[in-house]
Amino acid sequence: MPLLPALLLFLHLLAAAFWVGGMATMHFAVRPAAVASLEPPLRLPFMAAALSRFFVGVSTAIAVLLATGLGLVWLHGGFARVHWSVHAMFTLGLVMMALFLHLRFAPYPRLVRAVAAREWPVAAANLNTVRKLVSVNLVLGVLVFAIAVLGRAL
Ligand code: HEM
């Protein structure tokens, strides 16, 4: 494989691993540990701060995924010439990005505002919405990995 597509694929896989792996870490480790060890007045500000840092990384990963993914499609000669698995990856990737934009700009700002106002039940409800949307995106992300890699065999 020539250097340019290899470099684009490397960055593409790094961004996908960061996004999907980061969601798994937040979902299976950070949030359960916070629930087990912190009361709401400490847990909710902690989760809002952890999400704020994670979301900066996710926004960067999305920009890298789109730029490198579309760059690879272009190098392959356009969407008409790529395997069906790339079409599926692109479609599901766009759904994941739309879900991320929704959670980042609807329930997450409500969580931050509720934390600032010390309205713990409102903050907890919005964090729960974020948790559900992240778990949907985690399932989709694993599905995209499966389609991208296993789909090549079909
Ligand atoms: C949304 C825009 C996206 C586009 C346009 C795109 C496009 C591409 C292209 C063209 C390839 C190279 C395929 C090949 O060389 O045969 C690729 C590989 C890959 N992509 Fe994406 N992708 C996108 C999003 C994602 C997302 C969101 C994930 C995972 C969460 C992902 C995971 C992968 C993986 C694991 C591979 C490696 C497949 C392999 O080489 O076996 N992609 N992508």
Side-chain angles (χ1 to χ4, degrees):
M1 187 191 270
L3 182 62
L4 182 59
L7 188 64
L8 290 180
L9 188 60
F10 164 67
L11 293 173
H12 193 76
L13 292 179
L14 204 59
F18 174 84
W19 190 6
V20 178
M23 287 191 292
T25 307
M26 293 300 281
H27 190 74
F28 292 115
V30 178
R31 187 180 171 279
V35 168
S37 52
L38 299 172
E39 293 301 319
L42 286 177
R43 178 169 81 238
L44 293 159
F46 168 79
M47 286 305 300
L51 285 171
S52 123
R53 285 164 175 78
F54 178 52
F55 288 166
V56 174
V58 174
S59 303
T60 309
I62 286 175
V64 172
L65 274 173
L66 273 177
T68 55
L70 292 174
L72 283 165
V73 169
W74 183 69
L75 289 178
H76 280 74
F79 273 107
R81 303 185 64 141
V82 292
H83 193 253
W84 66 264
S85 59
V86 174
H87 290 265
M89 175 172 9
F90 185 51
T91 307
L92 287 174
L94 290 182
V95 172
M96 289 175 67
M97 290 167 197
L99 281 178
F100 171 73
L101 286 177
H102 172 70
L103 74 89
R104 171 67 186 80
F105 293 106
Y108 174 69
R110 289 200 292 265
L111 163 67
V112 171
R113 280 196 297 273
V115 164
R118 301 179 67 80
E119 292 171 348
W120 307 126
V122 179
N126 282 292
L127 180 59
N128 199 36
T129 307
V130 170
R131 180 188 63 79
K132 284 182 191 155
L133 291 170
V134 168
S135 48
V136 172
N137 256 356
L138 180 54
V139 172
L140 288 178
V142 173
L143 190 64
V144 174
F145 261 89
I147 290 170
V149 180
L150 301 177
R152 293 164 67 120
L154 305 174

